[in-house]
């Protein structure tokens, strides 16, 4: 790494670098609730005092995918306070901003907006905590981008090919190509790198004169065979990689001996896990770039709460503790209290020289009680430090290393899969699902679904609160298997069906890309149904209010006022949603009154049949049967009105009602396509304004 002699001339970029701020972490904690907001203000204050050209964030600005109003308000308040002003921006953007910010409704950098007065632009990629989700694939950063306070870049949703187009910046004679890639599941991105599906576009003109800066948010350390991104996957023309997601502060750039680029890992600005990596002093970086030379200046954060951690192995102290001693538990507790007091004294000495540091430190004592010892009461121990530490409930952690004994039994011990992982490691839901089915008995093995797809669905259910994720995945894969069996014209024999299903499942497991598409399609359907439910709920509330206000129905309906009121409330509800498949859901509702056959004979409405939700594979080969007797008790028919303008918009009415009643309608859904580029280079002769030679951009609109 080269040094820069002059740091204040017109050719030097000054960039403030930070990652993993995690705004909103433990915001309801009475002691640590404001830690993230205070530190974020300190980071932006450093940017303002050092008069940086822009702030570069490496993902996870927010801790939650759906941050609270308090968190969003505090973030907006800080950005407006420190990043808006009259100081002019000294650099210019040369690339096509419609390509760099093509997912935004305002595809240009915020400081060039004539309605805003930005003095410090902020560029950020999204992380795994604040990644885009939902039917419209929006994230919290999109709110800040729409407000003009932040520039969200590095977004890619394609699972087939990723083209990373840089933001080209120039200040004087220094030119920076800023590349960014938001968080993507590590296994998927690993596979795409192996299959040569990730391309970093470069300008053709003077490509060696650009300082190439890449921001990424992935696992850097190896957590599994493909659950990380090796540095060797990145292109060797890169000069500096700012690596987010890893919380241990290693901000000093270190060189990769094989690829020859430098890697800087700023780490998090708040302690989110009680692991040794978080105990390292927190820093942000002030990056100076002039020409092809750079210098990283470390800036220590003063408002971060101190964190001290220590390990104790009781078996290493045979002179102090013996399992047969009847008072050994009291001796262990006294020994732990002594260790905690020493850590508190150390924290107090550090705080004396820094008045901005919070008063109560974070203390963690990990005790390995293997060797026949018994733990004491953690709650009683914590009560003694309620007013002295910031984390009294987590101050002590007992664990025991597993003894190396191989058991020959075949019974599944699910606790064995999750027993005492190394502290600080992330235990992922999809890994647990995969391990469970790999070690489960044959009778509980999956015969139709795949472990990978089920793991992804469970992760969406847990992390993103997609309540229909698992149900939609099961429906989607069941429908696909049924279509496969119909195409193969399989005999209606259970043994042959099982064999065909097994072969089909194995073929899907080998085609990982196709399986990824299936999971994404099922998640889209789950999000779409959630949106439909919200629309239907809102419509039903409006109908209930209207009917309650009128209190009477049309006399020509032949119904009493009381009956009209009672049925009106249920008309838009989801009472009839049970027993519907994915295609009928959201498009029909079960009513009461005349039967479907009576309604069809005397009106222009078309009856809709509702298929059972729990249809099995064997039902595909059985002839369809109609049981009219089961509908004889119904009081209303189930009808839909055909709308010529949009075949997806449907209304639900009783057969005897008039057309002047208010009817709820479901909203049509839209899918957004991905934007790709066909060329890696630049042709300035063909187009002087656009430094990238790209194919025509196509986008699927609503």
């Amino acid at each position: 790494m080269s040094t820069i002699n002059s740091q204040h001339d017109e050719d030097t970029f000054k960039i403030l670098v930070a990652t993993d701020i995690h705004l909103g972490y433990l915001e309801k904690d009475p002691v640590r609730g404001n830690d993230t907001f205070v530190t974020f203000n300190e980071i932006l204050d450093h940017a303002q005092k050092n008069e940086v050209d822009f702030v570069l964030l490496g993902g996870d600005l927010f801790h939650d995918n759906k941050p609270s109003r308090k968190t969003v308000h505090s973030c907006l308040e800080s950005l407006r306070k420190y990043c808006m002003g009259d100081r002019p921006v000294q650099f210019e953007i040369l690339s096509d901003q419609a390509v760099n910010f093509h997912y935004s409704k305002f595809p240009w950098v915020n400081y060039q907006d004539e309605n805003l007065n930005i003095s410090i632009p902020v560029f950020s990629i999204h992380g795994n905590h604040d990644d885009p989700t939902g039917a419209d694939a929006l994230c919290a950063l999109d709110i800040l981008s729409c407000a003009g306070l932040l520039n969200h870049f590095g977004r890619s949703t394609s699972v087939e090919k990723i083209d990373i187009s840089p933001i080209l910046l120039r200040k004087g004679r220094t030119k920076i190509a800023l590349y960014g890639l938001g968080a993507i599941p590590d296994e998927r991105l690993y596979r795409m790198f192996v299959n040569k599906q990730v391309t970093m576009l470069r300008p053709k003109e003077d490509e060696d004169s650009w300082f190439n800066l890449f921001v990424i948010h992935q696992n850097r350390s190896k957590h599994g065979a493909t659950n990380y991104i090796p540095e060797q996957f990145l292109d060797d023309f890169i000069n500096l990689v700012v690596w987010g997601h890893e919380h241990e502060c290693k901000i000093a750039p270190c060189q990769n001996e094989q690829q020859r680029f430098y890697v800087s890992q700023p780490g998090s600005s708040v302690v989110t896990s009680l692991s040794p990596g978080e105990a390292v002093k927190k820093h942000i970086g002030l990056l100076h770039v002039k020409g092809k030379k750079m210098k990283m200046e470390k800036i220590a954060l003063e408002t971060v709460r101190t964190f001290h951690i220590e390990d104790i192995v009781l078996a290493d102290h045979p002179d102090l503790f013996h399992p047969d001693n009847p008072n050994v538990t009291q001796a262990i507790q006294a020994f732990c209290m002594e260790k905690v007091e020493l850590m508190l004294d150390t924290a107090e000495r550090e705080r004396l020289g820094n008045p901005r540091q919070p008063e109560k430190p974070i203390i963690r004592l990990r005790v390995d009680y293997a060797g026949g010892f018994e733990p004491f009461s953690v709650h009683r121990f914590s009560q003694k430090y309620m007013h002295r530490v910031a984390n009294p409930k987590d101050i002590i952690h007992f664990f025991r290393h597993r003894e190396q004994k191989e058991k020959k039994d075949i019974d599944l011990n699910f606790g064995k899969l999750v027993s005492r992982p190394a502290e600080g490691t992330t235990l992922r839901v999809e890994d647990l699902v995969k391990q469970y089915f790999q070690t489960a008995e044959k009778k509980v093995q999956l015969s139709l679904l795949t472990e990978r797809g089920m793991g992804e669905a469970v992760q969406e259910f847990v992390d993103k609160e997609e309540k229909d994720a698992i149900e939609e995945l099961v429906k989607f894969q069941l429908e696909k298997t049924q279509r496969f069996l119909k195409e193969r014209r399989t005999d209606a024999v259970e043994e042959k069906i099982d064999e065909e299903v097994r072969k089909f499942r194995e073929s899907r497991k080998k085609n990982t890309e196709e399986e990824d598409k299936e999971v994404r399609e099922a998640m889209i359907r789950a999000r779409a149904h959630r949106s439909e439910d919200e629309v239907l709920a809102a419509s039903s509330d409006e109908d209930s209010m209207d009917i309650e206000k009128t209190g009477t129905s049309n006399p020509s309906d032949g119904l009493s006022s009381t009956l009209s009121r009672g049925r009106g409330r249920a008309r838009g509800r989801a009472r009839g949603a049970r027993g519907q498949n994915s295609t009928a859901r959201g498009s029909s509702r079960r009513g009461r009154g005349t039967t479907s056959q009576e309604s069809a004979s005397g009106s222009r409405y078309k009856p809709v049949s509702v298929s059972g939700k729990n249809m099995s594979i064997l039902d595909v080969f059985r002839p369809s049967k109609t049981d009219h007797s089961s509908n004889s008790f119904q009081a209303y028919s189930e009808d839909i009105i055909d709308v010529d303008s949009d075949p997806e918009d449907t209304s639900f009415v009783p057969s005897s009602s008039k057309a002047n009643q208010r009817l709820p309608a479901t909203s049509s859904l839209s899918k957004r396509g991905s934007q790709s580029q066909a060329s890696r280079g630049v042709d300035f002769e063909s187009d002087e304004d656009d430094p990238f030679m790209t194919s025509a951009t196509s986008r699927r609109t609503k």
Side-chain angles (χ1 to χ4, degrees), residues 378-386 392-396:
V378 175
H379 298 287
R380 189 176 303 171
F381 185 86
S382 302
Q383 290 294 326
K384 302 175 182 178
Y385 300 96
M386 287 293 296
K393 297 180 181 180
D394 305 322
I395 191 171
I396 193 166

Side-chain angles (χ1 to χ4, degrees), residues 309-332:
I309 184 172
E310 189 171 341
D311 291 345
I312 298 176
V313 181
L314 298 181
D316 293 345
H317 302 277
D319 53 332
L320 299 177
F321 314 113
H322 195 278
D324 297 333
N325 186 350
N327 298 324
V328 65
T329 303
Q330 290 81 357
I332 294 173

Side-chain angles (χ1 to χ4, degrees), residues 202-433:
R202 299 186 65 185
K204 283 185 176 179
E205 183 180 276
D206 299 330
E207 63 179 23
D208 294 331
S209 64
W210 295 87
F211 182 88
N212 300 292
L213 176 59
F214 183 37
V215 190
I216 187 173
H217 191 97
Q218 304 290 152
N219 278 333
R220 185 183 179 191
S221 56
K222 188 174 183 180
H223 296 276
T226 60
N227 193 18
Y228 76 112
I229 303 300
E231 295 179 5
Q232 287 72 17
F233 282 1
L234 307 183
D235 289 312
D236 55 1
F237 70 84
I238 299 174
N239 299 105
L240 176 65
V241 178
V242 176
W243 207 297
H245 185 63
E246 299 288 351
H247 282 205
E248 183 177 358
C249 183
K250 298 179 180 178
I251 198 166
C254 58
Q255 189 174 29
N256 183 288
E257 298 298 333
Q258 181 177 345
Q259 300 294 87
R260 308 303 298 173
F261 53 68
Y262 288 87
V263 180
S264 174
Q265 181 178 303
S268 66
S269 59
V270 64
V271 177
T272 60
S273 63
L274 304 180
S275 60
E278 295 273 20
V280 180
K281 180 70 176 177
K282 303 292 186 182
H283 293 83
I284 56 175
L286 184 59
L287 177 64
H288 303 266
V289 178
K290 182 178 181 181
K292 300 282 286 187
K293 299 179 180 180
M294 69 174 179
K295 176 184 177 182
M296 180 69 79
E297 179 183 345
K298 296 170 60 176
I299 301 177
L301 294 174
E302 299 178 350
T303 59
V304 177
R305 193 178 298 272
T306 57
F307 172 43
H308 295 273
I309 184 172
E310 189 171 341
D311 291 345
I312 298 176
V313 181
L314 298 181
D316 293 345
H317 302 277
D319 53 332
L320 299 177
F321 314 113
H322 195 278
D324 297 333
N325 186 350
N327 298 324
V328 65
T329 303
Q330 290 81 357
I332 294 173
Q333 184 171 350
F335 185 74
C336 292
M337 291 180 62
E338 182 181 351
K339 289 291 184 181
V340 171
E341 291 293 339
L342 290 175
M343 286 191 284
L344 286 172
D345 292 341
T346 304
E348 183 63 25
R349 287 194 299 269
E350 291 182 0
R351 199 180 70 85
L352 290 176
N354 181 15
R356 301 182 63 186
Q357 198 172 81
E359 180 180 356
K360 296 181 181 180
I362 302 174
I363 302 296
R364 183 70 155 180
L365 184 64
R366 303 191 300 184
V367 181
D368 181 4
Y369 66 102
F373 299 97
E374 293 294 333
F376 53 81
S377 174
V378 175
H379 298 287
R380 189 176 303 171
F381 185 86
S382 302
Q383 290 294 326
K384 302 175 182 178
Y385 300 96
M386 287 293 296
H387 303 288
R388 301 181 61 187
V389 300
N391 61 321
K393 297 180 181 180
D394 305 322
I395 191 171
I396 193 166
H397 171 66
F398 284 99
F399 69 99
R400 182 168 54 190
H401 285 296
R402 288 182 298 176
E403 299 179 2
Q404 301 298 327
K405 293 182 180 180
E406 295 294 334
K407 295 184 179 181
K408 301 299 183 181
D409 56 343
I410 60 175
D411 294 337
L412 176 66
N413 182 8
F414 189 74
K416 189 177 182 181
L417 301 176
V418 298
S419 60
R420 300 172 188 86
E423 193 158 2
T425 59
T426 303
L427 203 58
R428 305 186 316 146
V429 176
E430 58 268 36
D431 291 339
L432 291 179
V433 174

Side-chain angles (χ1 to χ4, degrees), residues 553-618:
S553 61
N554 194 330
S556 63
D557 291 344
L559 299 175
S560 64
S561 174
T562 306
L563 180 61
S564 173
R565 290 167 58 94
R567 301 312 178 200
R569 290 197 184 105
R571 188 172 56 198
R573 307 278 181 179
R575 289 184 56 183
R578 296 171 184 162
Q580 298 177 4
N581 59 12
S582 59
T583 57
R585 183 177 178 182
S587 299
S588 65
R589 287 292 181 268
R590 180 176 299 169
R592 296 181 182 177
T594 59
T595 62
S596 299
Q597 290 78 8
E598 294 172 356
S599 174
S601 62
S603 68
R604 65 183 179 91
Y605 304 130
K606 182 179 178 181
V608 178
S609 62
V610 181
S611 59
K613 179 185 285 188
N614 300 321
M615 186 172 64
S616 65
I617 290 290
L618 290 175

